Amino acid sequence: PGAVLGGLVAVAVPEPLLRAALVLLACAAVAKVLGGWTFTPPPGALVPGGALSGFVTATSGGGGLVAGPLWLASGLTGRSYAGTGAVGGIVVHLCRLGGYGAGGVLQRDALLMGLVGAVCIAGGNLIGERVRRRLSRRAISRLEVGVVVTCLALALVGLG
């Protein structure tokens, strides 16, 4: 529900506002990774936090900052954590596409690309989980920082 609502909001607000939200969330991700910021919600926050994660993802793409800690707080680890991330990513992606469609901004070509994106989200999570098992903790840490910093840089230059 949060992703559908976020999709409806995303089509109704000015693009500069969405871009600013994306940059702010990317900065929060960098602060989390580089500054050691932690967010540990109580397990009872799963439903409202999930709705918030969907809303944030649909409006500015930063829902993972909320979703990951929620899944960890619920006790998920390893493969169950990665699988939940993949399924959650697909569901949020499809729901936000529904919100964009209801808002009148989703054309046929964009819908097809979005559906391909949903499949790629699952595939990327599966590949990432397999690669992660083969990497050292130090390499994983560097990769996590590199990806977040790269995403922030892309957001700042207008490509994110």
Side-chain angles (χ1 to χ4, degrees):
V4 172
L5 179 60
L8 291 169
V9 169
V11 301
V13 300
E15 186 176 328
L17 181 61
L18 291 177
R19 186 163 310 282
L22 176 74
V23 170
L24 286 173
L25 284 166
C27 289
V30 169
K32 182 179 189 282
V33 171
L34 296 178
W37 172 61
T38 58
F39 169 57
T40 309
L46 192 58
V47 171
L52 176 63
S53 175
F55 181 84
V56 171
T57 298
T59 56
S60 56
L65 290 173
V66 176
L70 282 170
W71 295 327
L72 289 172
S74 71
L76 295 174
T77 59
R79 293 179 66 122
S80 60
Y81 177 81
T84 301
V87 171
I90 290 170
V91 169
V92 167
H93 184 67
L94 292 174
C95 288
R96 74 178 169 177
L97 285 175
Y100 300 156
V105 298
L106 189 61
Q107 305 300 322
R108 182 178 169 264
D109 291 345
L111 177 61
L112 290 175
M113 287 179 17
L115 293 174
V116 168
V119 172
C120 291
I121 290 168
N125 274 284
L126 290 172
I127 292 167
E129 192 264 332
R130 288 187 177 149
V131 168
R132 188 179 189 101
R133 283 189 257 157
R134 295 188 173 112
L135 296 174
S136 69
R137 179 160 288 292
R138 184 174 183 201
I140 291 170
S141 183
R142 285 185 174 178
L143 186 59
E144 288 171 346
V145 171
V147 167
V148 170
V149 170
T150 300
C151 288
L152 176 58
L154 290 172
L156 289 173
V157 297
L159 297 175

